[in-house]
Amino acid sequence: MTVRPTVIWPSFTPAGRQDRSRKPAAKSSERPRILGAKSVRRPEGKKGSAAPVRSGKGSDQTILTWRATAGRSQFVLGMLMLGLATVWGRSFYLQQVSLDQWEKRAASRFERLSVLPAPRGRLLDRNGDVLAVSLSEHRVGIAPKVLDVRHPRLGQFAEILGMPLQDLQARVKGTPRFFYLASGLELTKADQIRALRIPGIELEQEFQRYYPHGAAFANLIGFTNSQDQGLEGLERQMENTLRGANGEERLVVDGRSQAFGQKTMRLAVPGEDIRLSLDAGIQAIAYQAAQEAWRQHQAKSVSVVVVDSRTGELLALSNAPSFDPDQRGQLDATRVRNRAAADLFEPGSTMKPFVVAAALDASLFEPSTFISTGNGRMTIGRRTIRDTKAHDRLTVTEVIKKSSNVGMVQISRGLPSAAMYDTFTSLGFGKPTRLQFPAEASGRLRPWQSWQPIDKATISYGYGLSASLLQMVQAYTVFARNGDMVDLRMTPVNGPVVGTPIFSAKTAAAVREMLSQAAGPEGTGSRAQLEGFQVAGKTGTAHKTENGGYAKDRYIASFVGFAPASAPRLVIGVIVDEPTRQGHYGGEVAAPVFARVAGDSLRRMQMSPDPAVRVQPTRVGQEEGIL
C-alpha cells in the first residue's frame, strides 16, 4: 500500500509557524500567501493611516513615503550645490584674487632669476691699442644639498678642475650651503663641465678685467674688484661710462634644481669703449725710463708726465715703482698711488721762470737787466738766503741759467705780493687740474695777505708752496706756447686748442730762450740735451719737509721742460723723490730722464731732427740754488 506524503502549508503569524490544519480558513479579503515569503503584519493605527514598520530582527520596518524621500533629495542636492559653489569660489580666489601670491610661490620653487653680466667697456689709447678689456669666463657653483658625492661622473668633474676627488667630496660634505668652487674657467672647460650634466653643479658667466700692458699703465688706469667695479684710477673715474647694464634670465628648474627651460627677460647692455689721449708707445718709454732711474738712484719713487703742448692732451703718465694690475691678490698701497697726481712737493727752482715772466710782463726788467746777487748771500730778518756758488752780478737770463736764489729774491721785490699770487693762481696752482683724477691733490698756496717778507722771498724760488707734477707740467705749457696755457685733457682732440692768456707772446718767447740756455751746455740742466733737437727746461732741487722744518739729507729732484725748443711739441716733467745714489740734484738725476723720454718720444712721432744741434760737453749742474 502506497502512502502519500502530506503537504503542510506553513503560515506566518505573530505567534510563529502553525499547522494549516489547525488554522481557520482565510477570508476572501486576505491576499494569498506565497510559500517561503515572510508575512508582514501592519499594526492597526488610526483609520486611513499606515502604522510605521520597524526594521531589524524582531522589530517592525519603517516604510518611507514619497514626501520624506523628496525632502531628503532636496537637502542632498542643496549640499552638493553649496560644495560646488565653494569649490568654484575658491578656484576663482586662487586664480584671480591671489594669483600673484601663488605665482611667487611657484616661482620660488621652480623658477630662478639669473643675472646676465654685462662686459665693461674697453679702454683704448689714441691709436686704438687696447689698454683694458673684459674677457668672458665662468665660475663653478656647488649646491651641496643636490650634489651626490657618489655620482659616477664626479671624478671627471674633479679632473677638469685639477683637484683630487677626495678633496672635492670633503669640501661638499663639509659645506651646507651653496658656494663657489672655482672661477676664471675658460670656455672649453666650461663646456666640458656642462656636458657632464651632474645635478648640483652650476655654471655662471662672469667677466674678468685684463690689462695687456701690465705695470706700465697700472698707476694711471687702476683696476677693478671681483664684481668688475672700478676701484682705482681711470677705472674708478670713468665707472659710469665703462660699466654696462646687466641683463636678466629666468630659468625653469625641476625638483633637483636642474634647469630645463630658460627665457631672457632683459638683455645685457655692454659698457661703452673709451678712447684716451694716451700713447701706449710713449707710455712704455716713460715707464722704462722711470724704472731705470728708480733703480739707479735707489730713490723712493720716480714720476714722469708727457703732454702735447698744442692740445693739452696727456700722452703718458708713469710712476715707479708700479704693480701688476692682473695680480691683485696682494697690493702695496705705496705702489698703487698715482704719485704724479696725488703727491705734493715744493717745486724749488722750477717755479723761478713764472716769477721772471711776471716781472717781464710788468715791464720791471728786461732779459739783459743786471741783478746784484751780493756774492750769493742775502739776509732777510733772521733768515739768510744762499746760492750754491757766489756770483756778483747776473743778468735776468743768467739768474735762470745759473738758478740763483738771491737773484730771484731781488727780482721778486719789484712785484707786489698780490700780483705774484694772481699769477700763480691763473697758472692753476692751488687747485686740481681739469683731469680730476681720483685722489688728485690741489696743492697749497696761501693767500698773499698772510705773506711775510721772508715768505714772499722763499716763494719766489719755489719754497713755501706745494704742487703736483701734473700742475707743474700744465703750467709750463704757457712757455711752450705763446703765453697762453691749455688745460690738460684725457681724450683725443682734433686740431689746436685755444688756451687761457697768461703772459704776452713776447714774454713767453723771452723766457723760452732763458730755459733753452738753462738746459744748454753751461746751464744747470745740461744733461737734458738731445742729439738733433734743442730743448728748454728748468731743474729743481728742494729739501723735503720734516718735523715742521727741512731735512738736511732728503731731497726732491725735478726737471720740467719741452722739446723741440724752436717749435715746442712735448712738455715733459720728471720728479725723483729722495735719490740716495749718484747725486741728488735735479740736473744730475732728473734731467737725464727727461732727455731719454724726449728723444725716444720725438723719434716715435717721426719728427725730423736738426743735424746742426749736437750734444755739447756738459758741466754737472751743482750751481743749482737750494737752501
Side-chain angles (χ1 to χ4, degrees):
M1 180 179 63
T2 302
V3 180
R4 295 183 178 179
T6 303
V7 179
I8 301 174
W9 296 90
S11 62
F12 297 90
T13 63
R17 189 186 322 185
Q18 294 182 358
D19 193 334
R20 185 176 180 183
S21 58
R22 298 179 183 179
K23 182 164 177 73
K27 297 182 179 179
S28 61
S29 61
E30 291 182 357
R31 295 181 180 180
R33 299 179 180 273
I34 301 175
L35 182 62
K38 292 184 178 181
S39 174
V40 179
R41 184 177 63 86
R42 296 185 179 183
E44 294 183 0
K46 294 182 179 180
K47 186 178 180 179
S49 64
V53 179
R54 295 180 180 177
S55 62
K57 187 176 181 179
S59 63
D60 296 337
Q61 183 178 1
T62 302
I63 298 177
L64 300 176
T65 64
W66 69 271
R67 297 182 185 275
T69 302
R72 179 175 294 183
S73 298
Q74 291 176 358
F75 174 78
V76 172
L77 181 61
M79 294 300 295
L80 290 176
M81 294 298 293
L82 179 61
L84 180 61
T86 302
V87 172
W88 181 86
R90 181 63 174 169
S91 225
F92 177 83
Y93 176 79
L94 295 178
Q95 296 181 31
Q96 301 297 327
V97 179
S98 62
L99 180 61
D100 293 341
Q101 175 185 353
W102 289 100
E103 282 185 345
K104 291 179 181 179
R105 290 189 181 184
S108 65
R109 292 186 179 183
F110 303 108
E111 291 184 355
R112 289 185 182 177
L113 292 179
S114 176
V115 175
L116 298 176
R120 289 175 70 85
R122 298 177 301 169
L123 286 173
L124 310 172
D125 83 335
R126 64 188 304 109
N127 301 312
D129 195 356
V130 177
L131 308 180
V133 62
S134 294
L135 299 181
S136 177
E137 295 181 346
H138 291 78
R139 58 180 174 178
V140 181
I142 302 295
K145 295 182 179 180
V146 180
L147 179 60
D148 184 2
V149 295
R150 296 169 297 177
H151 196 283
R153 293 189 294 273
L154 193 62
Q156 300 179 41
F157 170 69
E159 184 178 353
I160 294 173
L161 295 182
M163 64 184 304
L165 177 60
Q166 295 78 6
D167 294 349
L168 173 61
Q169 292 173 334
R171 178 81 182 276
V172 174
K173 291 179 180 179
T175 309
R177 296 182 178 180
F178 180 89
F179 65 94
Y180 290 105
L181 181 63
S183 62
L185 295 181
E186 58 186 14
L187 182 60
T188 303
K189 289 187 176 181
D191 290 340
Q192 293 175 355
I193 294 174
R194 192 177 288 108
L196 295 177
R197 300 184 63 83
I198 301 176
I201 297 179
E202 300 181 7
L203 284 170
E204 294 182 7
Q205 186 184 29
E206 62 179 357
F207 288 93
Q208 184 69 29
R209 199 69 161 170
Y210 287 98
Y211 304 92
H213 293 271
F217 281 93
N219 302 109
L220 177 58
I221 292 180
F223 54 88
T224 60
N225 60 11
S226 58
Q227 284 76 41
D228 217 20
Q229 296 175 336
L231 293 184
E232 292 290 341
L234 297 180
E235 292 279 26
R236 175 183 172 185
Q237 182 180 358
M238 301 179 174
E239 171 72 11
N240 293 336
T241 304
L242 291 172
R243 189 168 184 82
N246 291 336
E248 190 176 65
E249 183 180 53
R250 178 175 294 177
L251 301 177
V252 181
V253 298
D254 57 18
R256 297 180 62 82
S257 297
Q258 292 298 298
F260 61 87
Q262 61 185 30
K263 180 181 179 182
T264 301
M265 308 301 295
R266 185 175 64 251
L267 293 174
V269 180
E272 297 181 25
D273 293 345
I274 299 178
R275 188 181 292 269
L276 304 172
S277 62
L278 300 170
D279 188 306
I282 297 179
Q283 178 75 15
I285 293 170
Y287 176 67
Q288 292 173 4
Q291 281 283 100
E292 290 186 7
W294 173 59
R295 294 191 182 100
Q296 177 183 351
H297 299 290
Q298 296 294 299
K300 183 177 181 181
S301 66
V302 178
S303 298
V304 179
V305 173
V306 183
V307 169
D308 189 333
S309 63
R310 301 178 309 168
T311 60
E313 294 170 301
L314 183 66
L315 300 179
L317 187 155
S318 183
N319 297 277
S322 185
F323 66 98
D324 186 354
D326 289 330
Q327 303 294 329
R328 301 187 285 274
Q330 296 180 349
L331 293 176
D332 185 350
T334 60
R335 293 181 173 232
V336 171
R337 188 169 70 251
N338 185 358
R339 294 178 176 273
D343 285 8
L344 297 175
F345 69 105
E346 292 190 330
S349 297
T350 55
M351 287 294 294
K352 292 176 180 177
F354 303 118
V355 179
V356 169
L360 294 178
D361 241 21
S363 300
L364 300 177
F365 302 91
E366 294 293 332
S368 59
T369 302
F370 279 98
I371 303 295
S372 175
T373 63
N375 290 322
R377 292 177 63 90
M378 182 178 185
T379 301
I380 299 178
R382 298 181 180 180
R383 297 280 299 276
T384 299
I385 298 171
R386 300 180 178 86
D387 288 338
T388 55
K389 185 177 180 180
H391 301 283
D392 185 14
R393 288 180 30 167
L394 297 173
T395 64
V396 173
T397 298
E398 289 175 332
V399 168
I400 294 296
K401 180 179 177 180
K402 303 296 183 181
S403 196
S404 170
N405 290 341
V406 176
M408 284 307 307
V409 175
Q410 296 286 25
I411 293 174
S412 68
R413 281 186 167 183
L415 279 172
S417 297
M420 283 181 58
Y421 178 84
D422 290 341
T423 298
F424 291 158
T425 55
S426 64
L427 289 166
F429 295 108
K431 56 186 177 182
T433 67
R434 179 180 176 179
L435 298 177
Q436 296 184 346
F437 287 135
E440 180 178 346
S442 300
R444 182 174 62 90
L445 178 62
R446 289 181 298 149
W448 65 270
Q449 294 89 342
S450 64
W451 292 2
Q452 300 298 323
I454 188 61
D455 296 326
K456 181 182 177 182
T458 57
I459 287 175
S460 70
Y461 55 84
Y463 281 88
L465 76 163
S466 63
S468 68
L469 183 58
L470 274 179
Q471 290 174 320
M472 293 301 301
V473 171
Q474 177 179 261
Y476 262 73
T477 63
V478 77
F479 301 128
R481 297 168 62 87
N482 290 322
D484 61 319
M485 185 189 73
V486 290
D487 293 328
L488 301 186
R489 290 171 169 83
M490 274 300 304
T491 53
V493 178
N494 296 323
V497 174
V498 178
T500 303
I502 307 295
F503 305 121
S504 66
K506 178 182 177 181
T507 296
V511 176
R512 188 159 55 241
E513 175 59 29
M514 296 178 192
L515 294 176
S516 296
Q517 294 190 33
E522 297 182 357
T524 57
S526 57
R527 290 190 175 184
Q529 294 181 92
L530 289 176
E531 191 75 28
F533 297 98
Q534 185 180 11
V535 302
K538 186 69 188 75
T539 58
T541 305
H543 290 276
K544 296 192 69 174
T545 57
E546 181 181 68
N547 299 325
Y550 292 95
K552 293 182 178 181
D553 56 354
R554 297 169 59 218
Y555 302 90
I556 286 280
S558 60
F559 186 93
V560 186
F562 44 88
S566 56
R569 180 67 184 276
L570 300 180
V571 181
I572 301 173
V574 179
I575 286 180
V576 181
D577 188 4
E578 294 190 28
T580 59
R581 290 180 56 190
Q582 302 182 23
H584 63 269
Y585 287 96
E588 293 176 305
V589 298
V593 178
F594 170 91
R596 176 177 176 181
V597 174
D600 291 348
S601 298
L602 291 174
R603 284 188 286 272
R604 172 178 170 78
M605 298 170 68
Q606 300 181 351
M607 295 193 68
S608 301
D610 184 355
V613 179
R614 306 296 299 271
V615 175
Q616 302 295 322
T618 63
R619 292 184 296 128
V620 177
Q622 292 196 8
E623 298 179 7
E624 187 175 339
I626 59 175
L627 286 177

